[in-house]
Each structure stands twice: as structure tokens, then as C-alpha cells.
Amino acid sequence: MSLSATTARPSPAAPPPPDDSSRRRRGKLLNRLDVKYSPYLYIAPFFLIFGAFGLYPMMRTAWMSLHDWDMIGDHTFIGFDNYTRLVSDEYFWNALVNTFGIFALSTIPQLLLALFLANLLNRTFLRAKTFFRMAIFMPNVVSVAAVAIVFGMLFQREFGLFNWLLSFVGVDPVDWDGHRWSSWMAISSMVNWRWTGYNTLILLAGMQAIPKDLYEAAAIDGASPWRQFWQITLPMLKPTFIFVVILSTIGGMQLFTEPLLFANGNIIGGNQREFQTLAMYMYEMGIVNLNTAGYGAAVAWAIFMIIILVSLFNFLLVRRSAK
């Protein structure tokens, strides 16, 4: 046997030890990038969806409002002529009056009742609180179509429940969808029934965030429950109440489904446009009438500006009254 065969081969050289300093630098760099850019990645889906389904339609509508646009695709740039037309359009002003009328009859009683119910549900002596909180939210879960069908039967002229009750006090049957004030009351009752419970739970959540120590200290000082409500609950509830007011304003200015179903699908809202809202008029001009899509877009932007102005007014009003 040869010597070379019996001699063991030398082992391969061991790899050099890793550079700890370079590893630490790389880890710090990745950590810095994670802290700096990962929040943007987390919120990116919202902005992508908002850009595709919110911002782009708004900008597209603004561009359409500056044109004589029809749904076939023909359009001619006319500047602000559509907005000038709004000023002299009696149907637009009629829809504006209807919208504000229904808004006043629904939002103001709705918020007052929601505030009362939230304060009642926040009381410690009330039993079965969970049941009442679930029950008060149930109208918001019911389909709006079902609500409109039920209320349409209640407000029927010949066989409706409300006219039957009015007959006991000598009042003639009311044609609820034939007059402006009666239709406003019928539609606002629908809105109040659906959304009072929703606003109640939001206000209740705000009340439960108020520290209980304030009420205990006020009770020790001899403050009555009514005084505690005015001096503690309302001032501390101001941010939540402003939020509810703004939400109700946005919903009231965009009222569409309830009056449309109350009119049995008649987009003009009654025979003489007694309860056509701004949203219904926008739909009539932009969708039903195919050759006035540009004017419908102008109505949409007018609604947007009105919502901003009314929300700002309500915000200032609530903030001043809560001082």
C-alpha cells in the first residue's frame, strides 16, 4: 500500500465567522424602513379603494358638470352654464325646499328622542339593558323596502291605520302622498323610525365613556339627575353629539330611498313634485333623462356643497350651544 493512500486528506477550511457589525447594520436598516414605510402600506388599501370609487367619480362628475353631456357619449364644454341654470330652475328649488323640510321634521325630533333614550338606557336602575339596546337597534336592520311597504299601508288614504285613528277625533281622511306637508310627515316618520335607534347607541357609547366619578361627586354635592344631565352629560357628550349631528345632516341631505319607495317608484315624488328631494332630482336629471347627464352632475355637486355648508352650520351651532 502506498503512503499517499494511507495519508488522511486535510479537512476543508472552516468558513469565516459572520460579520456581526454588518448584520446589525442590516437589521437597523430594515427596522428603520419598517417603521417609516409600513404604516403607509397598512393604509394603502383604503386610499386605493377611495381613489377608485370615491375620488375619481367625484372628479369625473365635476368634469361632466362643465359639459352639455348625455349618456350616449356626446359632450360639449359649456363652462358654468349648468350651475347658472340651477339658479333659475324652479324644480331644483322645489326639491331643495322639500329636502330641508323633511330634514327638519326628521333630524330634530330624531336627535332629541335619541338623546332621551340614550340617557334612559344609561341609567343604573334599568334592568335588561342588553335586550332594550338590541330592540332599539332592530329598525335599522330591517330592509328599507319592507319599512316603506309597511308605512305605505299605514298611511293609505282609505284603509290606513292613521286615517282610521284620525276618524275617531272627527278628522277627514288625509291624502298623505297628495300634499306637501302630509307627505313630509309620512316620510320623516319613516326616517325617524329607522335611524333613532342607531343614533341612540352612538350617544349611549359616548355617555358610557364619561367618568362615573363625576356623577358620584355631583350626587354628593346634592345635584339632581336633571342637573347632572345638563352640567355633566351634555358638555362631556359634545364631541359625540357633533358627530351624530353631522352624520344625520349628511343622511338627511341625501335622502332618496324612503321618498322614492313612498312614491311607489315615481321619481318626481308625487303628481306635483310634492316630496321630490335633491337626490331624486339629481337621479331624474342624470339617469332618467339621458340627455341631461351634465346638468345632473351639476346638481350632484350642488348637493355636495350644500351638505358641507349645512354640516358646518350645525357644527358651529352645536359647539356654541354646548358652551
Side-chain angles (χ1 to χ4, degrees):
M1 183 179 296
S2 64
L3 182 61
S4 59
T6 58
T7 303
R9 295 181 179 179
S11 59
D19 189 353
D20 293 337
S21 61
S22 62
R23 180 183 300 174
R24 283 195 296 268
R25 284 196 301 269
R26 187 164 53 252
K28 290 181 179 180
L29 177 61
L30 292 176
N31 184 60
R32 191 181 303 113
L33 292 176
D34 179 61
V35 172
K36 187 175 182 180
Y37 294 107
S38 59
Y40 296 100
L41 294 177
Y42 297 150
I43 63 176
F46 165 77
F47 285 101
L48 291 175
I49 295 175
F50 173 75
F53 300 100
L55 184 61
Y56 172 74
M58 288 178 60
M59 297 298 101
R60 179 73 171 179
T61 304
W63 178 251
M64 289 176 60
S65 68
L66 302 177
H67 293 75
D68 183 10
W69 199 296
D70 58 43
M71 299 303 291
I72 300 175
D74 298 333
H75 53 273
T76 304
F77 183 81
I78 58 175
F80 292 94
D81 289 355
N82 284 326
Y83 294 96
T84 305
R85 177 183 170 186
L86 284 176
V87 179
S88 58
D89 186 358
E90 61 176 342
Y91 290 157
F92 172 79
W93 291 106
N94 174 76
L96 181 65
V97 172
N98 290 335
T99 301
F100 273 101
I102 299 173
F103 169 76
L105 290 176
S106 60
T107 303
I108 296 175
Q110 177 187 142
L111 294 180
L112 293 177
L113 182 58
L115 186 62
F116 169 76
L117 292 175
N119 186 57
L120 183 63
L121 292 175
N122 197 38
R123 295 293 181 180
T124 56
F125 61 81
L126 185 66
R127 296 186 178 181
K129 292 182 180 179
T130 303
F131 169 77
F132 286 112
R133 291 170 186 175
M134 293 177 58
I136 205 170
F137 188 70
M138 286 301 295
N140 190 257
V141 181
V142 179
S143 170
V144 63
V147 174
I149 293 174
V150 172
F151 274 82
M153 297 175 62
L154 294 176
F155 285 104
Q156 281 184 351
R157 174 180 173 84
E158 301 299 333
F159 305 103
L161 176 63
F162 290 108
N163 278 341
W164 178 72
L165 294 175
L166 290 176
S167 65
F168 287 101
V169 293
V171 179
D172 294 332
V174 178
D175 188 7
W176 294 99
D177 60 352
H179 305 282
R180 170 168 284 184
W181 279 100
S182 59
S183 59
W184 286 3
M185 294 178 62
I187 295 171
S188 62
S189 65
M190 259 193 293
V191 177
N192 290 331
W193 188 81
R194 286 197 68 222
W195 293 104
T196 298
Y198 178 82
N199 291 326
T200 298
L201 293 186
I202 296 179
L203 294 175
L204 178 61
M207 289 181 181
Q208 292 182 338
I210 301 175
K212 302 299 181 183
D213 299 342
L214 298 177
Y215 294 102
E216 295 174 359
I220 294 175
D221 291 338
S224 62
W226 182 250
R227 187 173 181 82
Q228 293 178 27
F229 177 78
W230 281 103
Q231 300 296 327
I232 298 176
T233 304
L234 279 184
M236 298 293 291
L237 195 64
K238 182 175 68 173
T240 306
F241 194 73
I242 290 176
F243 173 74
V244 171
V245 167
I246 293 176
L247 278 185
S248 300
T249 301
I250 295 173
M253 292 294 103
Q254 294 178 330
L255 196 62
F256 178 80
T257 307
E258 287 86 351
L260 180 65
L261 293 177
F262 184 74
N264 296 321
N266 184 8
I267 195 61
I268 68 172
N271 296 328
Q272 301 296 327
R273 300 178 183 264
E274 292 89 353
F275 51 94
Q276 185 185 46
T277 61
L278 284 174
M280 295 171 67
Y281 186 60
M282 176 196 68
Y283 187 87
E284 179 189 2
M285 292 292 102
I287 303 298
V288 177
N289 298 333
L290 299 180
N291 58 343
T292 58
Y295 185 66
V299 176
W301 266 92
I303 296 174
F304 178 69
M305 298 306 299
I306 291 171
I307 289 175
I308 292 178
L309 293 176
V310 176
S311 298
L312 180 61
F313 173 78
N314 287 337
F315 170 76
L316 296 177
L317 180 65
V318 172
R319 189 175 68 171
R320 171 168 291 190
S321 62
K323 289 184 178 179

